[in-house]
Amino acid sequence: MKSFSLLIILSQVPSIIAWPWIANVPGVDLSAMHAHPENFAKQRRQTGLDPTCPFNPDHTGAAPFDPQFPYTGSIDGLPGTGVGGVQVPAPGDTAHEFTAPGPNDIRGPGMNCPGMNTAANHNFLSHDGITNLAELVSAQQNLYNLHFDLATFIAVRGIALDGDVVTTKLSIGCDATERTSIDPTGTLGREPGLNAHNKFEGDTSLTRRDYFLNNGDAFTFQGDMFADMYRVANETSNGVFDRDTISVYRSRRYDESLAENPNFYFGPKALLLYGAASFIYEVFPVFGPEGDANFDTVSTFYGAVPNDSGSYDHVPERIPENWFNRRAAYGLLEIGNEIAYQYGRFPKLFGGNVGAGNFLALNTTFGIIQNGTLPDEVTAKDFVCLLYQLAVDNVPGTVANEAELPLQVLTWVLTQLNPIFQNSGCPLKIT
Ligand code: HEM
Ligand SMILES: *[C@@H]1O[C@H](CO)[C@@H](O)[C@H](O)[C@H]1NC(C)=O
Ligand SMILES: *[C@@H]1O[C@H](CO)[C@@H](O)[C@H](O)[C@H]1NC(C)=O
Ligand SMILES: *[C@@H]1O[C@H](CO)[C@@H](O)[C@H](O)[C@H]1NC(C)=O
Ligand SMILES: CC(=O)N[C@H]1CO[C@H](CO)[C@@H](O)[C@@H]1O
């Protein structure tokens, strides 16, 4: 009887269910947000067949595991040893030498993630840019010595949001649904790839412009932004892209977006962008945090080369010469710690602009974000639990977008992630 009356209550107040983040903010007229002009139109534009997405008929898959060059020993997406400090590519390992992408490979300056582009250019992922769960989880361990837990978390997020949970395939760039899905016109809809906006990708990226400010192109490398980041490194840390540089620069990117982008959205998922930014100083340097995130290292992974006008052109991303991955694996707790550090240096309000200069703070996000802010005493472990919640709860992709995970997707995510978070102490959702 109790659950019956609860059902009735729920159905009578759909707006509270639909907008759990913002329902409690006083003075917010939800119907106004439904009507917000930029609401869904742009999201839709990127969900059709993309005829410009490169097509390579020769899908070779990542270079197979070779016991002569085991790296951290991850095979077929299983956990490896976690023991890094390994030279990559290993001397003599021709299979993982740099191979520039061709015109038919999904890559180029217009793809979001330097880490994935580099991995594909060295055949740790399929060279055509169409990859899958096993490749992603092994590549992140063997190449970068990410911990199995973090490697799985990011890969599962990427596939659930931008790829296919049946085939586990994902395009590291543009929409290639005809190749990632066995049923491209089916219920799961289009699979936009990593370039999609407000799914994995979001506003305030380091070297990519905001979606709304750049005609929907939030994925192309921007040389002037790379120069901005370098300038901050010079001002902050003698040219090193360390955690202070990245904290200052991410803070500036937020301030710029807030001021310039009438559709700016900085939801809880933006915490993942702090995580991605931490790779620059935790994963890219030689031996990871033991080395310097100096210009040579970072620009090589980014494929950034200085040009005559003080900006940067883009060439294919690659692993620097004589490069060794970090010794200790980089896992969920470590990334939680870096998110806490960067956010803690310059706390920002979570929320979004609903028109120029009209910022709406989020409230009651999983009980942890109140009035757009996180509590001061939030720990690395709290961030780890928040990462889990972001992956398994419905989190709006924009201020006015509910972004509900289809049940089939949610079930798959829980199956993949619950074992990873088993010992985290975070409350888990039941499948
Ligand atoms: C399955 C694994 C991964 C996926 C699906 C993924 C996806 C993405 C996406 C969608 C973005 C854009 C986020 C934004 O809006 O700013 C991004 C950014 C980034 N990723 Fe990855 N990533 C993965 C793993 C990695 C790894 C292992 C590294 C480094 C070793 C890495 C380095 C970066 C960096 C540095 C950025 C910031 C780019 C910028 O704006 O300058 N990623 N990633
Ligand atoms: C940063 O400093 C280095 C070394 O002085 C210089 O070559 C470079 O042009 C500077 N970069 C920027 C963007 O200011
Ligand atoms: C340098 O790069 C910027 C940004 O990509 C570009 O606009 C400019 O035309 C380039 N300048 C030269 C001289 O190549
Ligand atoms: C919420 O945040 C706004 C902006 O920072 C502030 O003016 C307001 O007093 C806060 N309200 C509460 C209840 O904390
Ligand atoms: C601005 C705002 O509405 N803040 C509210 C957020 O939610 C808490 C209760 O969880 C209220 O006390 C605040 O007033």
Side-chain angles (χ1 to χ4, degrees), residues 24-26 363-364 370-371:
N24 295 337
V25 180
N363 202 14
T364 60
Q370 294 290 319
N371 197 21

Side-chain angles (χ1 to χ4, degrees), residues 129-132 136 158-159 162-164 168-172 180 193-194:
I130 305 282
T131 185
N132 61 34
L136 287 166
I159 292 164
D162 297 332
D164 188 294
T168 82
K169 288 184 186 171
L170 172 72
S171 156
I172 66 171
T180 51
L194 287 189

Side-chain angles (χ1 to χ4, degrees), residues 109-127:
M111 305 298 151
N112 254 322
C113 177
M116 295 297 95
N117 287 352
T118 300
N121 291 341
H122 285 268
N123 298 304
F124 281 94
L125 300 176
S126 181
H127 201 258

Side-chain angles (χ1 to χ4, degrees), residues 50-398:
D50 179 358
T52 64
C53 194
F55 176 77
N56 189 339
D58 185 23
H59 171 81
T60 49
F65 184 83
D66 179 349
Q68 257 191 294
F69 308 110
Y71 299 103
T72 66
S74 172
I75 307 175
D76 290 339
L78 296 172
T81 60
V83 180
V86 180
Q87 187 172 357
V88 192
D93 181 6
T94 51
H96 289 111
E97 269 171 12
F98 170 78
T99 315
N104 296 334
D105 296 321
I106 295 176
R107 213 95 85 257
M111 305 298 151
N112 254 322
C113 177
M116 295 297 95
N117 287 352
T118 300
N121 291 341
H122 285 268
N123 298 304
F124 281 94
L125 300 176
S126 181
H127 201 258
D128 67 353
I130 305 282
T131 185
N132 61 34
L133 179 65
E135 284 188 6
L136 287 166
V137 174
S138 285
Q140 292 179 90
Q141 293 179 82
N142 289 336
L143 166 47
Y144 297 119
N145 196 19
L146 258 55
H147 191 287
F148 175 72
D149 64 8
L150 180 57
T152 303
F153 175 79
I154 312 176
V156 166
R157 294 276 305 159
I159 292 164
L161 294 176
D162 297 332
D164 188 294
V165 300
V166 177
T167 63
T168 82
K169 288 184 186 171
L170 172 72
S171 156
I172 66 171
C174 40
D175 184 326
T177 308
E178 278 62 28
R179 283 167 283 159
T180 51
S181 170
I182 44 172
D183 184 14
T185 56
T187 49
L188 288 176
R190 303 293 305 179
E191 296 161 2
L194 287 189
N195 288 358
H197 177 54
N198 268 341
K199 289 185 158 217
F200 200 122
E201 191 281 330
D203 292 340
T204 76
S205 303
L206 302 173
T207 64
R208 272 70 178 167
R209 288 201 213 295
D210 286 4
Y211 185 84
F212 182 79
L213 293 179
N214 202 35
N215 286 318
D217 175 2
F219 41 79
T220 298
F221 171 83
Q222 304 292 340
D224 61 323
M225 295 173 74
F226 191 84
D228 281 347
M229 181 157 71
Y230 192 12
R231 203 166 296 121
V232 172
N234 279 351
E235 288 162 10
T236 307
S237 302
N238 293 317
V240 181
F241 296 65
D242 61 10
R243 69 204 299 234
D244 292 313
T245 294
I246 298 298
S247 303
V248 171
Y249 181 64
R250 274 208 53 70
S251 167
R252 285 198 198 169
R253 290 289 301 118
Y254 178 101
D255 297 345
E256 286 168 5
S257 291
L258 177 65
E260 294 164 13
N261 182 352
N263 274 68
F264 172 47
Y265 180 67
F266 190 79
K269 282 197 280 187
L271 290 170
L272 293 167
L273 305 186
Y274 292 97
S278 76
F279 290 138
I280 292 175
Y281 56 88
E282 285 289 331
V283 175
F284 284 166
V286 175
F287 293 117
E290 295 168 46
D292 266 351
N294 56 30
F295 173 79
D296 284 349
T297 299
V298 176
S299 62
T300 304
F301 276 109
Y302 262 89
V305 284
N307 76 15
D308 291 343
S309 44
S311 185
Y312 290 83
D313 292 331
H314 187 268
V315 297
E317 298 86 345
R318 62 191 296 167
I319 303 169
E321 298 294 317
N322 293 315
W323 186 81
F324 293 74
N325 63 18
R326 46 180 291 138
R327 282 186 234 269
Y330 192 54
L332 284 168
L333 201 56
E334 288 76 21
I335 208 170
N337 201 42
E338 293 311 310
I339 296 171
Y341 180 85
Q342 290 176 33
Y343 182 84
R345 283 281 315 274
F346 303 98
K348 298 294 178 190
L349 282 176
F350 292 91
N353 283 338
V354 286
N358 186 9
F359 188 84
L360 186 71
L362 292 172
N363 202 14
T364 60
T365 298
F366 314 123
I368 199 169
I369 294 175
Q370 294 290 319
N371 197 21
T373 59
L374 283 163
D376 289 341
E377 66 278 13
V378 63
T379 63
K381 198 206 132 200
D382 293 332
F383 278 111
V384 172
C385 296
L386 193 49
L387 291 179
Y388 175 82
Q389 287 173 309
L390 293 177
V392 302
D393 277 312
N394 290 330
V395 178
T398 71

